[in-house]
Amino acid sequence: MDIVTMGEAMACLVADSSGPLRHVRMFQKHIAGAEFNLAIGAARLGISTGWISRVGQDEFGTEIRTILQGEGVDVSQVGLSDRPTGLYFKEYSAFAEPEVFYYRSGSAASTLGPDDIDPAYIQSARVLHLTGITPLLSAGCQAAVWKAIEIARAAGVKVSFDPNIRYKLIDRAEVPAFFRPFIAAADIVLTGLGEMREILGDSGAEAEALEEQMLALGPGLVVVKSGGGGAVARTASERVSEAAFPVARVVDPIGAGDGFNAGFLSGYLRGWDLQRSLRLGNLVGACAIGVHGDFEGYPDWRDAERLLDRGQGSTR
Ligand code: KDG
C-alpha cells in the first residue's frame, strides 16, 4: 500500500439553491469526507490506497464502500457498526463560503477505536495520512489515531498530517494545545496560512516566519496551500512555490484541499521534486472546485498527465 488513511465518510446533502436550509426544497446527495476524498484522489492517480473506517449497516454505508471499491481503494479495514453512517448538509449564501451542518455525533465512524488498527496494515504503507478531523470525533477515534501514528513512526512509515481545522468540532481557544502534538509527530504537514496562525497562536507573523515555526515543531516538510494563491513547500533548506492553475468558474471550494493533498502526495511518492509535486497538487485542487461534490472532479492519471504541462485547470 502506498497510502493508508483513516477517517469518516458521510452522506452530504448539498442544497440546490442558496439561502437558509429551512427554505431549501431540493438537495443533491453526495458522499464526502476528508480522508475518503484523499483516498479516491490518490487512487485515481495510480497510487495504491487503503482507507480505515467504520460505516453504518445502511444505504449510505453500502454506497461508501461501493464508491471506494469502484475507485480501486482497499476497503479491507472498513468495519460495520450498529450506529448510522454520519450525515451533513451544505448551505450556500450569496456572500460567504458554503457552511456545513453536521449530523455525525455518535455516528458509525465515531465508534472507531484502537482495536480497529491492525499494525501490519499501517506497517505496509509508505505514507500514513491523517487529518485533525478524525481525532475530534470521539475519544476512541483519538486513541486510534495515536495508535496508528505510533506504529507508523516505529516502522519508519512517513506520517502526513492536514489539520483541516473544523470549528464545529473544536473551540478556537483549544486549537494550539490540541494540534501541536500532531504537528510534532508528523513528517509532512499540509496546511494553510490561517491554520498555521491558529495553531501557532501568532496572528501577526508573515508566511515565512510561520513556516519556520512549524518546522521547529518537528516535521521535515511543511506544505502551505493558498487556493488561488498557489502553494509553497518548505524544508529546512528549501522554499519552493508554485502558482495555482487558473479556474474558469468556482462552484464549490470544498474538497480542493483534500484533492491538493492527493496530488502532492502522489507526486512525492512517485519521487518527483517538490516543485512538480506542488504542481500536481494544484492541478487536482483546481479540478475539484468546478463541481458540487468534493471528489467527483478529481482527474485520473491520463487527464492529469495531459493537463500538468498545459497549465489549465479543466479536465476536458
Ligand atoms: O475537506 C472536505 C471535508 O471537510 C468534507 O468532505 C467533510 O470530512 C468532512 C468534515 O469532516 O468536515
Side-chain angles (χ1 to χ4, degrees):
M1 210 62 75
D2 288 319
I3 300 179
V4 164
T5 187
M6 63 191 284
E8 176 163 36
M10 296 172 284
C12 169
L13 278 295
V14 182
D16 234 15
S17 51
S18 297
L21 287 185
R22 79 192 85 139
H23 299 300
V24 173
R25 298 286 165 260
M26 303 281 283
F27 293 89
Q28 278 182 28
K29 192 225 11 176
H30 295 266
I31 297 287
E35 306 82 358
F36 165 95
N37 297 340
L38 169 118
I40 292 174
R44 285 192 184 175
L45 296 174
I47 298 295
S48 62
T49 307
W51 182 70
I52 304 170
S53 191
R54 281 197 185 181
V55 296
Q57 302 184 54
D58 49 29
E59 285 299 318
F60 299 137
T62 303
E63 186 177 4
I64 288 167
R65 287 188 302 162
T66 306
I67 291 174
L68 289 170
Q69 282 166 331
E71 297 283 349
V73 175
D74 180 64
V75 293
S76 63
Q77 308 298 305
V78 180
L80 294 176
S81 161
D82 292 338
R83 305 292 309 160
T85 301
L87 181 68
Y88 73 106
F89 290 81
K90 212 185 268 187
E91 178 186 271
Y92 295 102
S93 79
F95 307 108
E97 295 228 321
E99 185 166 2
V100 299
F101 298 91
Y102 294 136
Y103 294 78
R104 70 194 307 182
S105 170
S107 67
S110 75
T111 67
L112 200 68
D115 291 347
D116 295 305
I117 306 300
D118 174 2
Y121 197 69
I122 306 289
Q123 286 155 356
S124 78
R126 293 171 66 199
V127 167
L128 170 70
H129 176 77
L130 302 163
T131 83
I133 297 172
T134 311
L136 287 169
L137 299 180
S138 67
C141 283
Q142 192 173 150
V145 166
W146 278 114
K147 180 174 173 186
I149 290 174
E150 277 154 24
I151 294 165
R153 286 176 66 87
V157 174
K158 293 247 184 274
V159 177
S160 155
F161 182 73
D162 183 338
N164 244 332
I165 303 175
R166 297 285 177 265
Y167 291 105
K168 291 201 167 162
L169 300 177
I170 186 168
D171 288 341
R172 198 166 231 113
E174 292 171 18
V175 164
F178 184 83
F179 281 93
R180 282 183 202 199
F182 291 105
I183 305 291
D187 299 288
I188 305 168
V189 172
L190 302 142
T191 185
L193 206 54
E195 282 187 337
M196 288 198 294
R197 293 206 163 105
E198 295 292 341
I199 292 166
L200 296 166
D202 187 342
S203 56
E206 294 298 322
E208 292 198 32
L210 291 164
E211 293 156 17
E212 280 160 22
Q213 289 182 53
M214 291 294 271
L215 287 173
L217 290 178
L221 171 60
V222 174
V223 178
V224 185
K225 305 175 264 183
S226 298
V232 167
R234 182 73 191 266
T235 66
S237 56
E238 259 188 303
R239 186 174 197 270
V240 179
S241 61
E242 177 68 29
F245 275 73
V247 175
R249 195 167 75 99
V250 177
V251 173
D252 183 348
I254 298 181
D258 307 324
F260 176 94
N261 295 349
F264 179 83
L265 290 176
S266 299
Y268 175 86
L269 285 168
R270 281 173 189 271
W272 291 5
D273 62 17
L274 292 175
Q275 191 84 50
R276 200 160 166 77
S277 300
L278 286 177
R279 191 164 174 75
L280 184 54
N282 285 344
L283 171 65
V284 181
C287 290
I289 67 184
V291 300
H292 281 292
D294 286 13
F295 71 86
E296 286 86 335
Y298 296 165
D300 62 20
W301 180 244
R302 197 179 50 111
D303 279 335
E305 257 192 321
R306 188 164 54 81
L307 291 162
L308 207 52
D309 296 311
R310 217 169 69 183
Q312 285 173 4
S314 142
T315 54
R316 300 282 166 215

